[in-house]
Structures are given as C-alpha cells and as structure tokens.
Amino acid sequence: MSQPAISKHLKVLERAGLITRGRDAQRRPRRLEARALAEASQWLETYRQLWDGNFRRLDALLGEMRAGETPRGLAQRRSQRGRRRGLPPPEPGDTR
Amino acid sequence: MIGAEHLTIATPTPRDVVVTRGFDAPRDLVFDALTRPALLQRWLEAPGRSMEVCEIDLKVRGAFHFVWRGPGRKDVGMRGVYLEIVRPERIVHTETWEDWDAGESHVTIVLTEHRGKTTFTHTARFPSQAVRDGVFESGLEQNAKETYDKLAALLAAVMSDEDSGAHQEIAR
C-alpha cells in the first residue's frame, strides 16, 4: 500500500472516531480507539446472533423436510403436533 | 455459492443490510420454509418471542401479517405486501412495523441452488439510516447507537471516496 493510500485510510478511520491523532514534533502518532471498535463489533455480533438462532432452527426444519417427507405430509404432521401443543392449525390457504 | 451454515452480514450502504446464509437443502424447500405459515412459524422468531400470527397471501400485491409474542414482552407486529414472487428463486416485498411509524422497508430475497445446496441472500433496504439503526437498537447497550452512527459514517466516507474515485483529499 502506498503512503498516500495509507494517509487516506487513516483519515477515514479518524473521521469515524475509530482512531485519534496525536502531535509529537514532526510525527502524528495515531491511537486506536479500541472501545469504539469493540462496540461496533458488539453491535454486529448481536445482530448476527439473532439471525444465527433463526437459521439454526431453519436448518433443523429443512433436515426434517429432506428426510423423505412430502410437503403435504409435513404440513399434516405439523397440524397434528400443533393440536397437541394447543397451537392453532395451519391457515386455510396453507396448502398447495 | 457459500458453504452450508456459513453466515455473512454486510452493510454496503448506510441504508442496506445484506445477510447471506448457506443451507444444505434444495431451494424449493427453502422457498416453502419462507412462504408457508405452518413452516415459517417454526423457525422465524424475534428476541424472546415466537411467531403467533402468520398470515400470508402469496401473490403479487398480496399481503402478509406477522405478530411475535413472548411472556412479559410487548408484541411485535409486521405487515407487508409482495411485489415480486418467482418460485423458487426470488421474493421482493415491503415491510412496515406496527406501532412504529418508521416508514416502509424493501426486502429482496434471492435463492440460488448448486448441487442440491442453497445460498440465501436477504437484502433489506431501510427508508433511512435512522430507521435501520432503530431496528438494531433493541437489546443493545446504550452506546451502541452512537458507535453505529460512527460505523455508518465510516462506510459512507469510504463509499464517497470511492465514488469520487480520486485521491484529492490525500495528505495535506
């Protein structure tokens, strides 16, 4: 990476508050704002966990669907299980 | 094509969030799991809440209505309208939240299949960056929004730098 490119990247990071610039004679030492970075990745991690939980349940459901059941059979089984659990049966439109 | 169970989340612009995930199943099954209420209710949860209302009128200009409910928590409701349906590869729909006057988001879901495995791509375009940030605020610590604003500013800066294409603002 060229020196101008490095300067450009540092300027973007500085504007975003992820690094700060000091002053030491001719040098401009940059300091990493670790707290800001940690919070940014924490936000992404929270969002990721939300999707990840849903997708793991979807993995299990797809595994069941793949295990040789026709969609219609699965929906019927779901309906029976739903009644046992006291859940409402599938909507009237939920057939193919 | 990405591997089964591989999850990525990207924020290519301040209004967009792109989620991709691989699934070890053909895409017609994934399409069913996304569009049939009895199947969707089994996996699509909100934090601490399961989906108790799931009404889907799967046709162009057809509506859907979801409500997630959990003990001791406020109900979360969402409504939307289907704009495009191409079974089993593509769905485009709008999204609005009940009890939150946040405007309308657009969601595009694309399913691609390779050797019996599916790549799911979910692109959400929010009406504004503030709404996108609001969606993400739940369950986060108090400083997260501020930090997220910084991250969004960073992304916007990187993109505008790329748009202008030049190195004008380099090293004074």
Side-chain angles (χ1 to χ4, degrees):
Chain A
M1 192 185 281
S2 66
Q3 177 61 44
I6 291 171
S7 294
K8 179 178 171 180
H9 281 285
L10 287 174
K11 193 165 284 190
V12 170
L13 290 171
E14 192 177 335
R15 222 184 298 156
L18 298 177
I19 63 171
T20 51
R21 180 162 39 167
R23 186 175 281 270
D24 173 20
Q26 296 306 306
R27 296 171 58 240
R28 297 288 178 270
R30 264 69 166 200
R31 188 167 170 280
L32 182 65
E33 295 297 317
R35 186 178 150 82
L37 276 175
E39 284 166 357
S41 41
Q42 184 186 358
W43 165 80
L44 278 174
E45 187 54 32
T46 303
Y47 191 59
R48 168 181 284 269
Q49 281 171 12
L50 180 66
W51 277 101
D52 192 49
N54 279 328
F55 288 146
R56 287 182 188 283
R57 280 185 291 278
L58 179 52
D59 284 333
L61 173 62
L62 291 167
E64 256 183 66
M65 292 168 78
R66 285 194 79 173
E69 302 199 58
T70 65
R72 182 169 295 279
L74 184 72
Q76 282 165 358
R77 218 159 61 82
R78 156 76 178 166
S79 166
Q80 286 157 10
R81 192 184 302 153
R83 274 198 284 280
R84 280 206 299 277
R85 281 209 225 120
L87 297 175
E91 285 69 11
D94 184 34
T95 53
R96 286 209 282 182
Chain B
M1 184 64 207
I2 62 176
E5 300 186 18
H6 184 70
L7 170 65
T8 68
I9 299 176
T11 50
T13 80
R15 285 173 59 197
D16 293 317
V17 179
V18 181
V19 176
T20 61
R21 175 62 148 75
F23 291 99
D24 186 15
R27 65 181 176 177
D28 61 323
L29 294 190
V30 178
F31 189 93
D32 280 350
L34 286 165
T35 55
R36 301 183 63 201
L39 299 175
L40 188 62
Q41 281 180 291
R42 288 185 53 186
W43 67 272
L44 190 61
E45 297 184 359
R49 304 164 177 86
S50 58
M51 194 193 276
E52 296 297 321
V53 175
C54 184
E55 297 162 353
I56 293 178
D57 182 13
L58 191 64
K59 65 186 183 202
V60 173
R61 291 184 294 280
F64 67 86
H65 181 211
F66 304 150
V67 178
W68 289 271
R69 190 164 292 152
R73 292 173 185 263
K74 191 171 174 295
D75 282 6
V76 174
M78 175 191 278
R79 291 180 183 276
V81 173
Y82 293 100
L83 303 178
E84 288 178 47
I85 299 166
V86 185
R87 181 185 194 91
E89 58 186 68
R90 181 178 168 88
I91 301 167
V92 180
H93 63 76
T94 63
E95 257 180 28
T96 55
W97 298 92
E98 295 182 303
D99 303 321
W100 185 30
D101 186 18
E104 193 173 84
S105 303
H106 274 234
V107 172
T108 301
I109 295 169
V110 175
L111 304 176
T112 57
E113 184 178 319
H114 182 68
R115 298 189 178 193
K117 298 182 195 299
T118 299
T119 299
F120 162 98
T121 305
H122 179 288
T123 303
R125 166 154 288 191
F126 294 92
S128 68
Q129 186 186 328
V131 170
R132 185 183 76 166
D133 295 352
V135 170
F136 297 146
E137 263 174 52
S138 58
L140 302 186
E141 291 186 7
Q142 54 182 14
N143 286 332
K145 184 181 183 311
E146 188 188 333
T147 304
Y148 189 63
D149 288 343
K150 290 179 185 170
L151 181 60
L154 167 68
L155 295 168
V158 169
M159 283 183 309
S160 68
D161 284 356
E162 281 174 3
D163 287 348
S164 65
H167 296 258
Q168 314 110 315
E169 62 164 331
I170 300 167
R172 285 181 206 147

